[in-house]
Amino acid sequence: MSAAPDAAALRRRTEEFLAAHPPARTGRTAFLRARFDAGLAWVHFPEGLGGLGAPRTLQTEVDGVLGAAGAPDNDPRRIGIGLGMAAPTILAYGTEEQKQRFLRPLWTGEEVWCQLFSEPGAGSDLAALATRAVRDEDTGDWIVDGQKVWTSSAHLARWAILVARTDPALPKHQGITYFLCDMTDPGVEVRSLRQITGEAEFNEVFLTGVRIPDRHRLGAVGQGWEVARTTLMNERVSIGGMRLPREGGMIAPLAAVWRDRPALRTHALHQRLLELWVEAEVARLTGERLRQQLAAGRPGPEGSGMKLTFARLNQEISGLEVELLGEEGLLYDDWTMRRPELVDFTGRDAGYRYLRSKGNSIEGGTSEILLNIVAERVLGLPAEPRDDKDLPWKDLAR
Amino acid sequence: MTATPDLLYTAAEDDLRAAVRALLDTKAADHGATLARAEAGSPHDPALWHTLATGIGAAGLLVPEHLGGHGAGPREAAVVLEELGRSAAPLPYLTGPVTAATALLGCDTAQPAVAGLLRPLAAGSTLCVLAVPLTLGPGAPHPSAVTTVDGRLTGTVSAVADGAAADVLLVPADTGLYAVRTRDAAITPQTPLDLTRPLARITLDRTPGDLLAGPATARAALDRALTTGAGLLASEQLGLAEWCLAETVRHVRGRHQFNRPVGSFQALKHRLAQLWLEIAGARAAARNAADALATCAPDTALAVAVAQASCSTAAVHAAEECVQLHGGIGMTWEHPAHLYLKRAKADALAFGTPGHHRTRIAALADLPGPRA
Ligand SMILES: Cc1cc2nc3c(=O)[nH]c(=O)nc-3n(C[C@H](O)[C@H](O)[C@H](O)COP(=O)(O)OP(=O)(O)OC[C@H]3O[C@@H](n4cnc5c(N)ncnc54)[C@H](O)[C@@H]3O)c2cc1C
């Protein structure tokens, strides 16, 4: 093992890589595969798995050089679940064989991932999940039956991270096992689920006799809850984490309408605009401060709060934008049922932003649940008394 | 696009904080004594002030070394103010070594009249304060209360913070900025809402003063002083809010009702988590303002307005939650929560209300209101 490179070494390495693989004369997939093999995909990953064991913050050095050279990227917004959730979990709990098999096509985007966690009866209380996985004693395979819901990108996904119950007699957190599920298995049925925006990003997924080989189990039998927590923690980090310029994000279209259309302005709207503008700027600075803490090796607890703040601000800002537009705010750009590949807040009208941002306080853990987490983990306030932790799962109310 | 501000604390800033906190924890923790002094009309503790201003050297942080100071800057002064907010200590730091010092630094410091005030102010031996109402914010019209006739000053200014404790008043008048000895002016203490920041009415009646700067320089110096005062007040508000949150969390964890800690009720947990989020934002905004002031960033006025608009609100919210979640004890004279509530509410008016700062932002960020 060589020592982890510093910023200058990484830039040099990236330039050498570009010289050997000129983007103009290399196909996109070939380029991305080669980049992975050169350890320049996610530099904080280990060598041999797309990284160099370097600090995570140095990724910007690589991305900067590649971006300037006009190199293709892996379109991270399309494969957010794989990059943000599946990959760190596979890295933490996967066998050597699993890491080698899954991480490369995940990163290049050749294989899209989705998250089969939530169920009709288990959302905030994910550990109550009822999808069963039963071992076939002859083959060692697992036979999975159950229903998942709200599954974003299931219709695009080649693979899924899946949690299922392997022992209903144990208390709910203990009888869960984590699997990597092949979405092309004949027992997997994906049905689109239309949402309030008119389109369908998410799906219902019915699992009927789905056969998962034991080598696609992630972590030990019964360890699924612990493994799932790694996924969920990474989900929240990736939701709150992007860097914005001043007046970036949801406030940008609102400020633009305000400036371009003086006839729409009123004193009451002006006061709310200024309040939200300040809050958006403060949220941006909070995110910047968080990144500086991470870069200095002293991560602060602020991360748990960013998603809460952005969810509320996105909703309030887009709500004000609809109101500001007056008569036009009564209109909607397009109700056609579509299956978008990514969430596009900027390419659509205010009404879409208003409706889609309602999901920001639900997806990836509701704001109520996140407030509980901040109160207990950051402030050290006591948990509410509860009686569900030690009962066998099969005896719980549902 | 301006350079990315440094929103963290340096090791030197952490050391300064530790020194100030150690002092205040031993010498300013007795809120009963503070109240007794405040009721007697002079809340300042001269021995504590001497140790902070001279011993630790906090009075000279903003003043360059060749003028008798320590040549540090707004980032360090902000750390001192966080600690003063946390302790609600009644010390004239914001008014003297921060705001008045900045006003003097905006004058011609080669002039003996200016340097002669800066040196003892930086040493902590003389207290200068600006003779303006505490509510005056950056960007407000230049004060017109005091006029000059034959070089003598006449006029009345109320709500001057720490006016009665000052040795010298820096008086903005129609013909420039003047230094007036407090013993030459009529000073009437006013009864303040905030017991920890005394206010006074100052009456000048053909009072002599030394001219420090002509009208144009005076205007710029005053605006810079008010911008600095407002920007660093945000750090005081941050420290105050942090104390309120920590104290409230401590209380609700220990206080039992219905056979459980009241802090285990979700209604309270969510309120405190929201408050924590607001304070995390306030910290980023306050650090951003302090860093902008320290680096003379081109968007300093905007950074200060954003910090004031958010930190004022956060501090009041924190202090109000502190009183409410303490229940009856929070309503007593004996418990210190009221000192923080009064300070927070007064601080929200000081150097301009949140509304004043949002109006500034409308101009600075090109978000104009409806045409009249
Ligand atoms: C756009 C979108 C995309 C999604 N994508 C995926 C995906 O790809 N994969 C996946 O697995 N899931 C996905 N989800 C599901 C999401 O994680 C769940 O909807 C969420 O965890 C909430 O669960 P629930 O819908 O069952 O609501 P419930 O848990 O039933 O909650 C109902 C209400 O009760 C509140 N509540 C529940 N428990 C508590 C408590 N202890 N204290 C206070 N309030 C409480 C909740 O906050 C909520 O307001 C997605 C959701 C959305 C909206």
Side-chain angles (χ1 to χ4, degrees):
Chain A
M1 274 303 270
S2 47
D6 61 11
L10 267 179
R11 279 196 301 272
R12 213 175 324 111
R13 199 183 167 104
T14 309
E15 276 150 15
E16 284 163 16
F17 172 77
L18 276 170
H21 303 85
R25 279 180 282 120
T26 317
R28 181 172 181 274
T29 304
F31 182 87
L32 292 173
R33 286 179 181 169
R35 178 175 162 190
F36 186 94
D37 296 338
L40 298 172
W42 33 31
V43 295
H44 61 290
F45 269 53
E47 279 186 63
L49 294 172
L52 297 165
R56 189 182 192 135
T57 47
L58 291 184
Q59 186 66 41
T60 50
E61 305 290 339
V62 174
D63 294 350
V65 174
L66 290 173
D73 71 8
N74 59 348
D75 201 354
R77 293 194 309 160
R78 242 187 88 242
I79 52 173
I81 293 173
L83 293 175
M85 293 186 255
T89 316
I90 292 171
L91 181 68
Y93 289 96
T95 61
E96 203 45 45
E97 188 196 337
Q98 288 170 335
K99 294 182 213 173
Q100 292 295 347
R101 161 64 187 86
F102 290 112
L103 289 175
R104 190 175 186 249
L106 180 159
W107 185 84
T108 60
E110 289 165 80
E111 290 180 347
V112 173
W113 286 71
C114 69
Q115 177 195 18
L116 291 172
F117 279 25
S118 305
E119 298 181 4
S124 301
D125 185 11
L126 176 63
L129 59 92
T131 292
R132 287 281 278 124
V134 179
R135 189 128 198 190
D136 174 349
E137 292 304 336
D138 299 335
T139 59
D141 292 348
W142 296 86
I143 311 299
V144 179
D145 288 279
Q147 185 193 341
K148 296 288 176 176
V149 72
W150 325 126
T151 319
S152 309
S153 306
H155 53 297
L156 305 168
R158 174 70 179 77
W159 291 95
I161 43 178
L162 165 75
V163 277
R165 187 156 305 282
T166 40
D167 190 346
L170 288 174
K172 63 180 178 184
H173 296 99
Q174 293 166 36
I176 297 173
T177 303
Y178 199 116
F179 297 97
L180 308 176
C181 174
D182 183 345
M183 293 295 283
T184 63
D185 185 285
V188 176
E189 187 200 343
V190 177
R191 292 187 206 156
S192 65
L193 196 52
R194 202 171 178 192
Q195 61 210 47
I196 62 176
T197 54
E199 54 188 27
E201 286 165 49
F202 54 34
N203 304 272
E204 296 176 285
V205 178
F206 295 85
L207 305 167
T208 315
V210 175
R211 185 170 284 272
I212 300 183
D214 193 50
R215 66 173 196 282
H216 290 170
R217 168 168 51 79
L218 195 66
V221 175
Q223 197 190 8
W225 182 248
E226 180 190 322
V227 183
R229 282 182 41 143
T230 302
T231 308
L232 297 176
M233 258 163 43
N234 279 287
E235 176 173 30
R236 285 161 201 159
V237 169
S238 58
I239 286 178
M242 65 286 196
R243 178 178 224 146
L244 293 174
R246 175 177 293 149
E247 223 179 74
M250 286 288 225
I251 196 78
L254 173 61
V257 175
W258 184 269
R259 289 189 188 111
D260 293 348
R261 313 213 3 217
L264 297 174
R265 298 174 196 162
T266 70
H267 289 290
L269 291 169
H270 193 217
Q271 286 312 312
R272 285 170 56 202
L273 169 78
L274 292 171
E275 280 169 18
L276 289 173
W277 194 94
V278 168
E279 289 196 55
E281 171 66 356
V282 171
R284 181 186 76 85
L285 291 167
T286 310
E288 179 56 38
R289 184 162 197 277
L290 181 68
R291 261 184 302 280
Q292 292 183 9
Q293 286 176 296
L294 281 174
R298 296 187 305 250
E302 283 84 351
S304 359
M306 292 311 292
K307 177 181 179 287
L308 275 163
T309 301
F310 278 116
R312 183 179 59 79
L313 279 178
N314 284 350
Q315 294 169 356
E316 290 187 19
I317 289 168
S318 57
L320 182 61
E321 198 187 344
V322 170
E323 214 177 310
L324 170 65
L325 286 166
E327 207 177 292
E328 256 173 71
L330 291 176
L331 307 178
Y332 191 74
D333 53 8
D334 187 0
W335 291 117
T336 311
M337 159 69 179
R338 277 186 302 206
R339 313 230 60 196
E341 289 204 8
L342 31 91
V343 182
D344 181 8
F345 273 127
T346 47
R348 299 280 307 262
D349 283 356
Y352 171 83
R353 282 192 277 283
Y354 173 68
L355 295 174
R356 180 57 185 84
S357 63
K358 291 294 168 212
N360 292 163
S361 53
I362 302 170
E363 59 198 325
T366 68
S367 289
E368 288 77 13
I369 293 295
L370 292 185
L371 286 171
N372 286 346
I373 291 176
V374 168
E376 289 170 24
R377 307 227 184 111
V378 180
L379 296 178
L381 290 170
E384 296 220 48
R386 51 191 284 191
D387 59 8
D388 62 328
K389 276 188 173 164
D390 302 320
L391 288 175
W393 174 82
K394 61 184 172 47
D395 299 335
L396 293 174
R398 59 175 68 84
Chain B
M1 203 59 226
T2 49
T4 308
D6 175 2
L7 303 176
L8 305 181
Y9 300 96
T10 64
E13 288 161 9
D14 285 339
D15 291 347
L16 176 62
R17 178 197 304 286
V20 175
R21 187 177 294 188
L23 173 68
L24 295 175
D25 278 353
T26 48
K27 294 287 164 50
D30 184 355
H31 292 110
T34 302
L35 273 172
R37 277 197 311 276
E39 285 193 277
S42 62
H44 298 143
D45 174 344
L48 175 59
W49 177 240
H50 180 75
T51 313
L52 177 75
T54 311
I56 292 182
L61 287 177
L62 293 187
V63 179
E65 287 177 46
H66 72 272
L67 292 167
H70 300 290
R75 292 179 52 98
E76 291 80 2
V79 169
V80 173
L81 280 162
E82 279 184 33
E83 294 307 308
L84 289 171
R86 196 189 304 271
S87 65
L91 296 173
Y93 189 70
L94 181 66
T95 46
V98 172
T99 309
T102 307
L104 288 169
L105 288 167
C107 302
D108 177 5
T109 53
Q111 259 198 63
V114 176
L117 287 175
L118 264 174
R119 283 180 183 283
L121 176 61
S125 55
T126 292
L127 182 64
C128 305
V129 304
L130 272 180
V132 298
L134 182 59
T135 47
L136 190 70
H142 195 73
S144 58
V146 178
T147 50
T148 36
V149 176
D150 298 334
R152 299 212 158 213
L153 302 161
T154 299
T156 300
V157 188
S158 326
V160 175
D162 299 319
D167 304 295
V168 176
L169 301 165
L170 307 183
V171 184
D174 50 353
T175 51
L177 184 68
Y178 290 81
V180 172
R181 308 268 136 204
T182 29
R183 59 166 188 270
D184 295 336
I187 311 248
T188 320
Q190 298 175 287
T191 306
L193 172 70
D194 172 11
L195 291 155
T196 64
R197 183 133 42 217
L199 301 174
R201 176 180 304 113
I202 290 166
T203 305
L204 306 175
D205 184 9
R206 282 158 290 157
T207 309
D210 295 334
L211 183 67
L212 300 171
T217 307
R219 232 168 249 276
L222 180 64
D223 196 61
R224 178 77 189 166
L226 295 175
T227 302
T228 304
L232 296 188
L233 171 62
S235 289
E236 179 186 306
Q237 291 166 320
L238 166 64
L240 184 154
E242 286 188 312
W243 182 89
C244 291
L245 175 62
E247 194 54 28
T248 308
V249 166
R250 197 184 61 73
H251 179 74
V252 300
R253 285 172 64 170
R255 169 74 178 168
H256 282 68
Q257 293 286 281
F258 303 97
N259 194 37
R260 53 195 267 207
V262 291
S264 69
F265 288 102
Q266 194 177 60
L268 302 200
K269 288 163 74 171
H270 281 192
R271 278 165 73 164
L272 289 168
Q274 301 276 19
L275 183 57
W276 175 81
L277 279 176
E278 199 177 336
I279 293 173
R283 184 178 303 103
R287 271 334 261 165
N288 186 50
D291 193 73
L293 287 163
T295 58
C296 299
D299 61 354
T300 300
L302 185 60
V304 166
V306 166
Q308 267 303 297
S310 64
C311 294
S312 287
T313 320
V316 170
H317 183 202
E320 289 179 348
E321 290 292 62
C322 182
V323 169
Q324 174 65 21
L325 300 189
H326 274 78
I329 187 83
M331 200 58 201
T332 61
W333 189 258
E334 182 187 340
H335 191 280
H338 69 107
L339 289 176
Y340 289 84
L341 177 67
K342 292 161 186 171
R343 170 71 76 89
K345 194 66 189 172
D347 275 358
L349 277 65
F351 294 91
T353 60
H356 170 82
H357 291 286
R358 284 194 294 268
T359 305
R360 293 264 292 158
I361 290 167
L364 294 165
D366 183 27
L367 298 164
R371 303 220 164 92

